[in-house]
Amino acid sequence: MSQHSADPAPNSAVATVAKRRDWWRDAVIYQVYPRSFADSNGDGMGDLEGVRSRLPYLRDLGVDAVWLSPFYASPQADAGYDVADYRAVDPMFGNLLDADALIRDAHELGLRIIVDLVPNHSSDQHEWFRRAVAEGPGSPLRERYHFRPGTGKNGELPPNDWESIFGGPAWTRVEDGEWYLHLFAPEQPDFNWEHPAVGDEFRSILRFWLDMGVDGFRIDVAHGLVKAEGLPDLGSHDQLKLLGNDVMPFFDQDGVHEIYRQWRKVLDEYAGERVFVAEAWTPTVERTANYVRPDELHQAFNFQYLSTDWDAKELRKVVDLTLEAMRPVGAPATWVLSNHDVTRHATRFANPPGLGTQIRLAGDRELGLRRARAATLLMLALPGSAYIYQGEELGLPDVVDLPDEVRQDPAYFRGAGQDGFRDGCRVPIPWTRTGSSYGFGSGGSWLPQPESWGELSIEAQTGAAGSTLELYRTALAVRREQPDLGAGDSVEWLKAPEGVVAFRRGEFVCVTNTGGESVTTPAHGRLLLASDEIAETDGEMKIPADTTVWWTTA
């Protein structure tokens, strides 16, 4: 495989990006799942000091910003997405001084910090909810959540037919007979965003963390805050299949946009181009574009792209739809292949198409890795911003054979819902070839790592020709150096054989072969990078199956 010869200078390059206006339009942002990134105190759980100690690795990888999944005070019923105190760090991760030190160190290294915000629901141990339950029906605090009387002869049935994303009814009854809404686990009661105190509180929370120096927020369940008036029945017994595919009375209601307009005013009070990123599962990319209008949020994850099978026609279709949807609102496309809620793409692409993002099969791992590498180069070549989930730069697969007794995904414990697949993508990442947790920490890891993890570690792959880690490092360096990569809103599609995606952006050309056989194409100038071994003869290039190639005509 041709190797890019330039040796990136991370300090100067990242510092330059940090000063550039509209940095978020072409930023590569790395998601850290704190409990699985690095453990500083040997308790088997990752923490903020562990993240802080590894920031130089992320700088040298070549990313622009780091998104941290929740580290707030929480009973951990859903891995921190059940927040008891939005202004405190959970002791398992450290304290506010650790958060402050992490933010300061990141900035000194030229990295920006984005933190998760969970505004759809709190923990059932949040002070508001505990008081609401204790004070009983009619309590003013109950109005900050969705408490309702039940249906049936004696109120023994839920107020409506909504189901939890984790399976089972979306309602739980308290001792005094009323029911409360939770679109996720019972430990995660939904806020009532019609109540002004909820909006006041979250604007205050935004300012608290902005004052701490964070550069932005990733908004969890950004599409879920507002519910349809009257909480009407959905009328379906297979609601999980509707998620992200249809209009639902508890997701993607138009009222959410006024909330984000108010939030944008808060963000714009602060210097330094702070940003909002929406986790918004919507039926179409056009609906997603509503979240990134000029007076609302800056980015929205492209879940339509993440869910697309490894198929040239489908990939080209979703790219076109995305760019067309984002162009009228002036927002960048935001590409992503993996995160903490879906099967890693190295495993997803190892299985037959059509299984979705929640598969739990090992598949053909060699095939999956080859496709994942090719998919990454394709993603990084597209106009806009890109997200990397920790460990994907190592080619990590999902761990699909975790023992039942170690699994912690709340969906696993609710039999009518999902099967707890998310634990497989959350196993702590390996740093070294050996050790009780392959360098994650001195005290083992909260989820067991496979014996093969050592050879996938950062230590094993650093400097190894052809390794996935070195491919990522080189790709990010090339992406930064090529003037036609990064921000933009269009591509020029090139004529290509069946199963091949080919496009030009100025003097840059990307060709991806998603088919099962090699194809021969013209060599489009000087070779920059390829995801697998390639051969060039007489001005033509033989591109193997499941391979992406980058050229420049400059």
Side-chain angles (χ1 to χ4, degrees):
M1 177 172 61
S2 174
Q3 293 293 314
H4 176 69
S5 60
D7 184 19
N11 284 304
S12 60
V14 176
T16 299
V17 170
K19 294 177 182 177
R20 191 181 64 244
R21 287 189 58 79
D22 291 348
W23 64 273
W24 41 274
R25 289 189 174 275
D26 65 354
V28 177
I29 301 172
Y30 186 100
Q31 181 189 357
V32 165
Y33 194 66
R35 59 171 52 210
S36 297
F37 192 66
D39 171 20
S40 71
N41 60 8
D43 65 357
M45 186 69 65
D47 47 46
L48 294 184
E49 181 57 31
V51 177
R52 181 187 175 200
S53 71
R54 299 294 190 176
L55 288 174
Y57 163 76
L58 298 178
R59 175 202 60 194
D60 294 346
L61 182 62
V63 300
D64 302 302
V66 179
W67 154 34
L68 297 166
S69 292
F71 50 79
Y72 309 112
S74 167
Q76 303 295 319
D78 184 21
Y81 283 93
D82 51 316
V83 181
D85 187 344
Y86 291 85
R87 297 177 181 84
V89 173
D90 195 279
M92 73 190 308
F93 297 122
N95 54 45
L96 282 174
L97 290 177
D98 295 320
D100 179 71
L102 191 161
I103 294 166
R104 290 176 184 272
D105 281 9
H107 289 167
E108 288 179 3
L109 292 169
L111 295 168
R112 297 177 186 264
I113 293 292
I114 295 170
V115 297
D116 232 311
L117 190 64
V118 188
N120 179 71
H121 48 264
S122 73
S123 165
D124 63 353
Q125 298 304 304
H126 191 286
E127 179 64 18
W128 283 8
F129 190 77
R130 294 175 66 183
R131 287 176 54 193
V133 172
E135 293 174 11
S139 159
L141 278 167
R142 288 209 175 186
E143 296 177 5
R144 300 181 186 184
Y145 295 89
H146 294 279
F147 279 88
R148 296 288 188 278
T151 59
K153 186 175 181 180
N154 299 305
E156 72 278 8
L157 299 176
N160 66 21
D161 66 357
W162 295 0
E163 295 177 3
S164 163
I165 308 304
F166 292 157
W171 296 88
T172 289
R173 198 177 194 187
V174 296
E175 289 185 1
D176 56 45
E178 285 198 331
W179 298 72
Y180 69 88
L181 176 68
H182 53 87
L183 292 180
F184 295 88
E187 297 88 352
Q188 296 168 289
D190 278 45
F191 284 116
N192 174 18
W193 274 87
E194 300 296 326
H195 196 290
V198 177
D200 290 344
E201 172 69 355
F202 273 90
R203 287 190 293 274
S204 174
I205 293 167
L206 290 175
R207 289 190 174 95
F208 178 87
W209 288 102
L210 289 166
D211 289 341
M212 285 275 288
V214 303
D215 299 286
F217 302 88
R218 177 265 190 185
I219 305 168
D220 184 62
V221 196
H223 54 296
L225 278 55
V226 172
K227 279 67 175 175
E229 185 176 359
L231 309 184
D233 283 343
L234 187 55
S236 170
H237 298 291
D238 199 3
Q239 296 178 17
L240 287 178
K241 290 186 177 179
L242 300 179
L243 295 178
N245 296 308
D246 206 344
V247 175
M248 307 182 81
F250 47 78
F251 279 164
D252 196 30
Q253 296 292 305
D254 290 339
V256 300
H257 299 290
E258 181 55 33
I259 295 171
Y260 298 135
R261 292 185 187 101
Q262 294 300 316
W263 284 19
R264 181 62 177 266
K265 292 177 182 178
V266 172
L267 206 67
D268 288 346
E269 296 171 7
Y270 290 79
E273 291 198 298
R274 320 293 178 99
V275 299
F276 285 125
V277 185
E279 181 204 31
W281 289 88
T282 66
T284 65
V285 289
E286 290 82 7
R287 295 288 298 181
T288 301
N290 290 337
Y291 290 79
V292 289
R293 289 176 285 201
D295 60 344
E296 294 188 43
L297 310 179
H298 297 80
Q299 295 183 339
F301 293 128
N302 190 338
F303 292 118
Q304 283 80 10
Y305 183 76
L306 184 151
S307 303
T308 302
D309 289 328
W310 186 239
D311 178 89
K313 289 182 179 179
E314 293 303 312
L315 288 166
R316 178 168 169 168
K317 177 181 177 181
V318 74
V319 169
D320 276 338
L321 289 173
T322 299
L323 296 177
E324 289 169 7
M326 296 299 153
R327 201 174 293 121
V329 296
T334 305
W335 313 101
V336 61
L337 289 167
S338 288
N339 63 38
H340 65 293
D341 279 334
V342 301
T343 302
R344 289 183 178 275
H345 61 285
T347 294
R348 206 164 65 241
F349 292 149
N351 285 276
L355 295 183
T357 62
Q358 303 175 9
I359 55 178
R360 294 190 65 249
L361 303 172
D364 183 337
R365 289 189 175 178
E366 183 178 341
L367 173 64
L369 178 58
R370 190 166 66 247
R371 288 177 171 176
R373 289 163 58 99
T376 295
L377 289 197
L378 172 60
M379 176 183 76
L380 292 175
L382 293 170
S385 178
Y387 279 74
I388 295 172
Y389 176 51
Q390 65 176 48
E392 73 170 75
E393 78 275 19
L394 306 177
L396 295 186
D398 258 41
V399 181
V400 300
D401 54 356
L402 287 169
D404 288 352
E405 60 269 19
V406 306
R407 293 166 67 184
Q408 300 192 27
D409 185 345
Y412 171 66
F413 301 100
R414 292 170 68 82
Q418 302 166 359
D419 68 353
F421 73 94
R422 297 183 302 174
D423 287 325
C425 66
R426 298 175 176 182
V427 175
I429 67 172
W431 292 88
T432 59
R433 281 191 170 93
T434 60
S436 64
S437 63
Y438 304 105
F440 168 69
S442 61
S445 62
W446 67 282
L447 285 173
Q449 301 153 302
E451 293 181 2
S452 60
W453 238 224
E455 290 309 307
L456 297 176
S457 67
I458 291 155
E459 179 185 36
Q461 295 197 42
T462 295
S467 72
T468 300
L469 176 57
E470 293 300 336
L471 177 69
Y472 270 71
R473 285 174 171 162
T474 304
L476 293 176
V478 173
R479 189 179 193 271
R480 178 165 286 133
E481 293 167 1
Q482 288 296 310
D484 293 313
L485 287 180
D489 64 4
S490 63
V491 298
E492 176 191 348
W493 296 111
L494 302 177
K495 185 177 180 180
E498 185 77 16
V500 174
V501 176
F503 61 87
R504 180 187 301 276
R505 298 183 61 196
E507 295 177 328
F508 171 86
V509 175
C510 176
V511 176
T512 299
N513 179 12
T514 69
E517 303 291 337
S518 296
V519 297
T520 299
T521 71
H524 297 276
R526 177 169 60 89
L527 178 66
L528 290 171
L529 188 62
S531 64
D532 208 340
E533 297 289 341
I534 54 176
E536 182 177 4
T537 56
D538 299 327
E540 290 190 327
M541 186 78 70
K542 185 175 184 181
I543 303 178
D546 305 312
T547 299
T548 294
V549 183
W550 288 0
W551 289 276
T552 178
T553 59

